[in-house]
Amino acid sequence: MLMTQKLVITPWEIKGAVMGVDYEKLMKQFGADPLTPAVLDRLKKHTGDDLHVLLRRKFFVSHRDLSWVLDQYERGNKFYLYTGRGPSGPMHLGHLLPFTLCKWLQDKFGCELWLQISDDEKFFSKSDLSLESAQKWGQENILDIIALGFDPKKTKIFIDTKNAKTMYPQAVRVAKHLNLSTAKAVFGFTGETNVGLAFYTAMQSVLAFLPSVLAGKNVPCLVPLGLDQDPHFRVTRDIMPKLGYHKPAVLHCKFLSGLGEGGKMSASIPHSAIYLSDTPKQVEEKIKKHAFSGGQKTLEEQRKKGANPDIDVSYQWLQAFFEPDDDKIVQVYNDYGSGKMLTSELKQYLIEKVNAFLAHHQKEREKARSKVDKFLWID
Amino acid sequence: MLMTQKLVITPWEIKGAVMGVDYEKLMKQFGADPLTPAVLDRLKKHTGDDLHVLLRRKFFVSHRDLSWVLDQYERGNKFYLYTGRGPSGPMHLGHLLPFTLCKWLQDKFGCELWLQISDDEKFFSKSDLSLESAQKWGQENILDIIALGFDPKKTKIFIDTKNAKTMYPQAVRVAKHLNLSTAKAVFGFTGETNVGLAFYTAMQSVLAFLPSVLAGKNVPCLVPLGLDQDPHFRVTRDIMPKLGYHKPAVLHCKFLSGLGEGGKMSASIPHSAIYLSDTPKQVEEKIKKHAFSGGQKTLEEQRKKGANPDIDVSYQWLQAFFEPDDDKIVQVYNDYGSGKMLTSELKQYLIEKVNAFLAHHQKEREKARSKVDKFLWID
């Protein structure tokens, strides 16, 4: 559990505004290493061209043992990727970004992606979510993930409540090494926490070593994940050596800001997120109405003083992902900051980028329906 | 968790001597009902002849909702039996007795038996037990259970780490309703307890409602079990109505005394139990050397004063199970108590009974090897 001045972060709760998060401080609290230019350059040596925008722009911000994964890779010991999705509702843009990095890494390194759909976790952590709903959202979310273009021959999707035959006996091995004191300390559990959630970290650990179990040798694992999931993997990393496996390496990404002021995403602000199923019109309306602006109150003032891009959600979205061209994003920053570009123009710029992305995504998502079976793990 | 003056009872630990256990007091602490003559008579109405010796001699001592199960039965709503075995080693005579009652109930009521092999639980609760060993003991113990003659068409054996595909998604539904406070209060868990054991009660609950899930209607469940397992079922009984199922009825049996003084069974007294694989010679030696006697120190004294059968382990074993003939057991009690029967004679009596039982059992156990597949649940 992490608390910064404005922010509460656990794997089940992110409260407060995420735009002003002091990631440097978080990294130190976590004991994670920053993604330094040196590490990124080393990665670039293998990816052959420019780094993915999410790495270049530091949306992925820190790591554990990435250098070790590259050591192993350079010695011919290929790593696989492991990430997951807790299905409690429709996916929004923020959810998708880490998967787009996985897709890029799969393409560049030819590596496998092992993917967990933790319907059990979401059922445990959300009092009003039925197991059937979590399972249904799992099926829906899988379509969004497959739509990104993963290689079905190299991607294995596990659903906790469907693949328990494979997962539970492995989770059991982890669970023996995690006691209630540690679970409480790491996750801030209370007496009210249900025993399912206490056990769940063991389920989440499984794909960090299952490929090693099946291969009969240690296979390095790299986990791109949201910072909020780090507590699970701190536990996993402690336990893996006790079972004879390598610690999984971790690559942390930041939170994509919501549309509200300070990047706030909240269930009480239904328009704080753009869902992957949103129509072009909905996207336009949400961004126009709800994307918090760093611009001035009047057109005249904006022309005169310029905007503050650093607190502007539309700019943040372009910067993080939607405008991958480095020259263009610098120009947007300068034009918007100087008053040459108006808020309405910036928003239009983002609307077009997001709608182009979603148009492609939604088409691929439809195609994904017929491909699902190729991705699902069969026990 | 239960503590009486000499005894600590949890599902994972029975410390102290079990012969002097005040079952009346335990029953009150548990909130269970005694198996009164009225309830037993009602049972007898359906079983058609004499009650099983374990019921007649009150080795089964208390219950919850047995009358309700019989109400349902009389209305045509047949119950099934559910019991289990935690496989951490070879089975001894004490382990087998509750299963012999299940066999009798299956014969008398034509009911199904659903049986759980909780290899996960034993792995969680015993620090020095490997999962592979627990699984191996599971296979061994299943042979001993099948040897009792259960009907393969009416008996379904679940192994937690093998049948997780069926069990885990149902356990998840239970786990959401059990919080850490309750688990700690009921089982005496501490911070050192692993999260697997905290979750395990959810796995143990599954067979108390799975037949109802599969039938799409409520099927009454009767659970014959050792008193030490009651805490799990107190939790299960609390949760079942929240999931829309009946509470399972429970039938509690006492602990069979070990051979040591006061019926003590202990890992530090390797001969305190007779294992189902023991040879006639081992049985003879163990009973002769280790069965605590209520007799006098010398033959003369014994002839003069007689023995105290109530503290004599050999007598207890005959009384509980091995001499089902009521006239004969009364005669043994009187003869031994009066000094007419010597300790050596009493022990010889028991040795012959136990060896006859084991000779039959060991033969049936060999035959069971070829039948196992008929009993195992296929996910």
Side-chain angles (χ1 to χ4, degrees), chain B residues 254-305:
Chain B
K254 301 184 200 172
F255 311 109
L256 186 68
S257 308
L259 293 175
E261 181 171 356
K264 199 169 177 187
M265 261 202 208
S266 161
S268 61
I269 310 173
H271 302 300
S272 61
I274 286 177
Y275 290 93
L276 300 177
S277 56
D278 280 353
T279 62
K281 206 173 155 61
Q282 285 175 310
V283 169
E284 187 179 348
E285 279 179 10
K286 283 185 186 179
I287 292 177
K288 283 189 175 168
K289 275 195 201 167
H290 301 285
F292 182 75
S293 168
Q296 304 299 337
K297 279 176 194 155
T298 63
L299 192 141
E300 290 71 31
E301 229 182 316
Q302 168 72 9
R303 289 288 186 214
K304 207 168 109 186
K305 298 184 186 169

Side-chain angles (χ1 to χ4, degrees), chain A residues 107-155:
Chain A
D107 289 348
K108 295 297 175 185
F109 288 92
C111 55
E112 290 189 349
L113 169 64
W114 292 58
L115 206 146
Q116 180 192 29
I117 303 295
S118 56
D119 49 3
D120 52 350
E121 176 204 14
K122 287 297 163 183
F123 173 64
F124 292 141
S125 65
K126 293 191 173 281
S127 58
D128 56 346
L129 184 71
S130 70
L131 186 57
E132 292 67 27
S133 289
Q135 288 170 327
K136 190 207 76 169
W137 284 119
Q139 299 297 336
E140 291 296 318
N141 294 171
I142 284 171
L143 296 175
D144 283 309
I145 294 165
I146 292 176
L148 292 178
F150 291 107
D151 180 349
K153 289 200 186 72
K154 290 182 174 165
T155 307

Side-chain angles (χ1 to χ4, degrees), chain A residues 222-333:
Chain A
L222 174 63
V223 186
L225 44 61
L227 267 164
D228 56 310
Q229 295 297 311
D230 190 72
H232 285 303
F233 285 94
R234 288 207 293 279
V235 169
T236 307
R237 284 171 54 87
D238 277 351
I239 294 174
M240 285 302 101
K242 296 176 187 170
L243 299 180
Y245 303 111
H246 290 323
K247 294 178 179 198
V250 173
L251 207 49
H252 298 114
C253 74
K254 300 184 201 171
F255 310 109
L256 186 70
S257 309
L259 294 175
E261 181 170 357
K264 200 170 175 184
M265 261 201 209
S266 161
S268 59
I269 311 173
H271 301 301
S272 61
I274 285 177
Y275 290 93
L276 300 176
S277 56
D278 279 354
T279 62
K281 208 173 154 62
Q282 285 174 309
V283 169
E284 187 178 348
E285 280 179 10
K286 283 184 185 179
I287 291 175
K288 284 189 172 167
K289 275 195 199 164
H290 301 282
F292 182 75
S293 169
Q296 304 298 337
K297 280 178 191 154
T298 64
L299 193 139
E300 291 70 29
E301 228 182 315
Q302 168 73 7
R303 288 288 186 214
K304 210 168 104 188
K305 299 185 183 167
N308 179 1
D310 296 329
I311 60 164
D312 189 292
V313 171
S314 301
Y315 175 76
Q316 291 302 317
W317 285 28
L318 288 165
Q319 192 271 343
F321 182 73
F322 287 101
E323 181 45 270
D325 185 312
D326 290 344
D327 293 336
K328 286 190 184 164
I329 196 68
V330 169
Q331 201 187 331
V332 169
Y333 188 87

Side-chain angles (χ1 to χ4, degrees), chain A residues 1-2 9-14 121-122 125 186-189 197 200-201 204 227-233:
Chain A
M1 189 173 46
L2 269 177
I9 303 178
T10 74
W12 304 285
E13 186 182 45
I14 300 169
E121 176 204 14
K122 287 297 163 183
S125 65
V186 173
F187 299 109
F189 290 153
L197 206 58
Y200 169 71
T201 289
Q204 179 147 331
L227 267 164
D228 56 310
Q229 295 297 311
D230 190 72
H232 285 303
F233 285 94

Side-chain angles (χ1 to χ4, degrees), chain A residues 120 123 126 168 176 178, chain B residues 120 123 126 168 176 180 195:
Chain A
D120 52 350
F123 173 64
K126 293 191 173 281
Y168 182 73
K176 187 163 178 172
L178 174 58
Chain B
D120 52 350
F123 173 64
K126 293 192 173 282
Y168 182 72
K176 188 165 179 172
L180 293 174
V195 296

